[in-house]
Amino acid sequence: MRTNRIRTIAVAATALAAALSLTACGGEDKAMGTKPAGAADTATPAATGTDDKAQSDAPKAGTPETQTVPAEGKHAGGNGNGKKPETAPNEKAAPSIPACTPKNSTVKVSSVSRPINHLLLTVTNTGSTDCAAYYAPFLRFDDAQAVYPVLDDSKPQAVVTLSPGQEAYAGISLLGEPGQNEPVKSDNLGVIMVDKNNESKGESTLKLPAETYTDSLGFVTYWQSDVENALMF
């Protein structure tokens, strides 16, 4: 009986030693980073490079992505409909309108009751196309060598363009303040029309109203679209 008990204790001691040996080996394997044979692979986020935040940002299956649409008319480089605007071809400069000249218009001079010591010059487009009354007419009374002064303050905002049959007007102030200069009687008036470059395009000679007197302090206005503007200076 004693012999059997000793054998049983010896077997138990041997089993305990074996168990302790296995436990020691497993702990060493864990400390060294090695896996015991037959152990299942356990992946961690750090080991696989998977980022939990990246996974949460990824669109879920079956859920459409949200896209921001720019406000209409404010899309950079666009035209409000999401399309890039086409490049417009270079536009050709609009051709200048031909000047009103003695060939396509007529000029007349007439007296007015108000203001005093003024005359009214009228140009009429007698052609079949538009013409422009550029700048102011150049005037010469009788055989004067110098042209009459032009009033710069009368310059309109735009050149007066005349369709066939339309008229433009210029006011002529004949005299300055009384007593400043000796008036000179004139019988004829030369009217020179100019082009957009202010160059002469021909001269018309008109008969002045009877008893027309001028002095060196008078002036002529730019061409105007109506009589009131021509005679307001």
Side-chain angles (χ1 to χ4, degrees), residues 2-223:
R2 183 175 182 180
T3 302
N4 292 337
R5 182 176 298 177
I6 291 173
R7 288 179 181 176
T8 301
I9 293 172
V11 171
T14 301
L16 177 61
L20 291 174
S21 177
L22 289 174
T23 301
C25 291
E28 184 178 356
D29 290 341
K30 182 176 182 181
M32 295 178 62
T34 60
K35 295 179 292 183
D41 291 337
T42 303
T44 63
T48 60
T50 303
D51 193 323
D52 291 338
K53 183 178 185 304
Q55 289 181 348
S56 63
D57 289 342
K60 298 180 181 179
T63 303
E65 297 185 43
T66 302
Q67 182 178 6
T68 302
V69 180
E72 184 176 357
K74 294 183 179 181
H75 178 58
N79 53 12
N81 57 9
K83 297 181 180 179
K84 184 178 180 181
E86 298 181 0
T87 302
N90 294 329
E91 296 182 1
K92 295 182 179 179
S96 59
I97 300 174
C100 297
T101 71
K103 294 182 179 180
N104 60 15
S105 60
T106 58
V107 183
K108 67 178 182 179
V109 61
S110 55
S111 58
V112 293
S113 57
R114 290 286 185 276
I116 62 172
N117 298 322
H118 275 66
L119 296 176
L120 179 66
L121 202 61
T122 304
V123 59
T124 304
N125 182 355
T126 57
S128 57
T129 59
D130 292 353
C131 69
Y134 290 105
Y135 298 99
F138 290 166
L139 305 183
R140 291 193 300 186
F141 287 89
D142 289 334
D143 297 327
Q145 298 301 312
V147 296
Y148 213 51
V150 175
L151 183 64
D152 288 338
D153 290 343
S154 65
K155 185 177 181 179
Q157 293 183 349
V159 175
V160 180
T161 300
L162 304 179
S163 299
Q166 287 188 325
E167 299 176 339
Y169 311 92
I172 304 173
S173 174
L174 297 172
L175 302 171
E177 295 295 328
Q180 290 183 327
N181 283 279
E182 185 68 25
V184 177
K185 187 177 183 296
S186 298
D187 297 319
N188 300 298
L189 178 66
V191 180
I192 301 171
M193 303 294 293
V194 299
D195 61 13
K196 66 175 183 178
N197 298 317
N198 210 12
E199 296 180 354
S200 173
K201 299 303 292 182
E203 181 175 2
S204 301
T205 302
L206 308 177
K207 187 70 175 178
L208 286 167
E211 303 298 315
T212 297
Y213 289 85
T214 64
D215 63 21
S216 60
L217 298 179
F219 58 80
V220 61
T221 70
Y222 277 70
W223 290 112

